Amino acid sequence: MLVLGIETSCDETALALVADGRQVLGTQVVSSLKAHQRFGGVVPEIASRVHVEVITAELELLLSHCRVAPGQIDRIAVTRGPGLAGALSVGVAAARVLGLVWGKPVFGVNHLQAHLYAATMGTDAFTHRDPMIGLAISGGHTAIIRMEGLKSFELLGQTRDDAVGEAFDKVAKLLGLGFPGGPEIQRVSAQGNPKAFSFSVPKIKSGTPYDFSLSGIKTAVLYKVREYQKGVSGQGSGVSSLGSELTKPYTLNPEFVADMAASFQYSIVEEVAAKVLKACRNFQIRRLAVGGGVIANACLRERLQAVCAQEQVALAIPDMALCTDNGAMVAGLGEHLDAAASNACAVEPNLPVGMN
Ligand code: KG4
Ligand code: ZN
């Protein structure tokens, strides 16, 4: 089967053609990242506008690069949630129009499930029926999911406050680094000492043992920055509210920034690895699939590889090109959806895990 995948849930307008659920014939991605940079985060209206501006040209490029005619495509898969309402609407509208004009069925896809599917695309060790623990970690979501292949999804835990990627983005901003923060934190961490500062992630008293709370670690970084500034200048930062300090660009010593970034990254990686392994152990599941932008992080990839090898858990993580938002994961998952689900693609910004 040949599937066209369309992904516009956030700031990437991404399309791909995928054969048999895993052979990527071609991809196109345009990111509106630069337009958001000066705001320090994604501005929904800008993201939607860029999707509208570029999606048609991207489709034409994709079809011509792959030398595929619309008649050869069997179905269209499109992300319908979770994500930004306006941004999702552009992709879904495009998919619906193409479905009508080309006479092809259109399938709505869950963005988080597509991220997890991307993890399994490159491996034969995970069939689409196996029980596995899924970890979805992106800029907008953090979730640990117990999965029976692609069929059943039970949400075991999620973040109470910041998503993992969001924590990277906010701490990067606090350290005067660029957006998105994840790659920046990784870059400067290479020069830093991960044990220079110790950040403990608070224990969550209620809820499930698989929930995350990451805003405390961000506040701890803020206090360390404040302390450091006091030490350097001999006075306080002069800014009283946490919110305004988080948006204030600092000029900090690069060594201090590298140590802070490395220590923050280390704490987050340890926390994430401990939580997913606990889920694998408690449910006696020996397969772990990890998807979402944050799994591009080299330190996290290495740590998960090491602990999974130790515990004899098979680990599936995506190729680097399939970590952040892309059309291939949407097309790949779209291949496996029941024909009966065609044309169910209403936009749902809060689409829960388990629903396509
Ligand atoms: O999956 P994604 O592209 O978009 C969402 O669905 O949110 O994930 C984007 C997130 C951002 O927060 C970004 O900082 C993070 O993924 N990210 C990273 C790295 N590359 C991207 N976080 C840590 N280390 C990285 N190398
Ligand atoms: Zn994503």
Side-chain angles (χ1 to χ4, degrees), residues 44-319:
E45 289 77 7
I46 297 178
S48 310
R49 194 182 333 130
V50 174
H51 291 319
V52 172
E53 283 165 6
V54 303
I55 197 162
T56 314
E58 274 193 84
L59 176 66
E60 280 168 8
L61 276 174
L62 178 70
L63 294 176
S64 71
H65 282 171
C66 297
R67 297 173 191 279
V68 163
Q72 294 170 274
I73 296 170
D74 296 291
R75 51 169 73 173
I76 300 164
V78 61
T79 301
R80 76 177 190 98
L84 303 171
L88 289 164
S89 301
V90 180
V92 167
R96 283 197 160 130
V97 169
L98 293 172
L100 271 174
V101 174
W102 293 346
K104 307 289 176 186
V106 180
F107 291 78
V109 162
N110 183 310
H111 183 74
L112 293 187
Q113 287 165 214
H115 269 307
L116 293 171
Y117 181 82
T120 64
M121 270 172 93
T123 171
D124 290 323
F126 286 56
T127 76
H128 297 129
R129 283 173 300 280
D130 290 328
M132 59 182 105
I133 296 294
L135 168 68
I137 35 175
S138 67
H141 297 91
T142 297
I144 299 184
I145 302 156
R146 182 181 180 189
M147 299 160 61
E148 295 287 338
L150 299 172
K151 294 289 174 216
S152 95
F153 296 82
E154 180 193 351
L155 182 65
L156 297 178
Q158 58 190 327
T159 182
R160 300 290 190 81
D161 35 57
D162 293 339
V164 180
E166 188 181 2
F168 271 91
D169 295 339
K170 286 181 174 170
V171 165
K173 195 170 183 179
L174 193 52
L175 295 176
L177 302 170
F179 174 81
E184 287 289 290
I185 296 262
Q186 178 177 324
R187 181 178 62 78
V188 301
S189 289
Q191 317 302 325
N193 172 8
K195 303 276 173 67
F197 300 97
S198 94
F199 296 114
S200 61
V201 178
K203 293 262 173 301
I204 298 175
K205 293 192 187 82
S206 58
T208 89
Y210 309 108
D211 278 347
F212 290 86
S213 171
L214 301 174
S215 66
I217 200 168
K218 172 194 69 190
T219 310
V221 172
L222 170 68
Y223 288 146
K224 296 262 198 285
V225 169
R226 200 186 267 171
E227 235 170 68
Y228 172 84
Q229 284 205 317
K230 258 190 204 160
V232 171
S233 65
Q235 54 188 346
S237 66
V239 184
S240 55
S241 93
L242 181 73
S244 51
E245 286 199 45
L246 283 174
T247 56
K248 189 174 162 61
Y250 296 100
T251 311
L252 296 167
N253 172 316
E255 265 173 45
F256 172 79
V257 170
D259 284 347
M260 285 294 278
S263 303
F264 163 78
Q265 179 177 260
Y266 175 79
S267 312
I268 293 275
V269 164
E270 290 304 306
E271 169 74 0
V272 167
K275 282 251 154 80
V276 280
L277 276 182
K278 183 190 264 188
C280 290
R281 274 192 217 117
N282 287 357
F283 291 98
Q284 299 187 327
I285 292 178
R286 304 214 155 267
R287 285 187 190 81
L288 171 64
V290 188
V294 182
I295 192 58
N297 185 275
C299 184
L300 181 60
R301 290 172 87 90
E302 277 165 29
R303 184 72 182 133
L304 286 176
Q305 272 154 353
V307 289
C308 285
Q310 229 171 36
E311 303 248 346
Q312 294 173 322
V313 169
L315 174 67
I317 49 180
D319 290 346

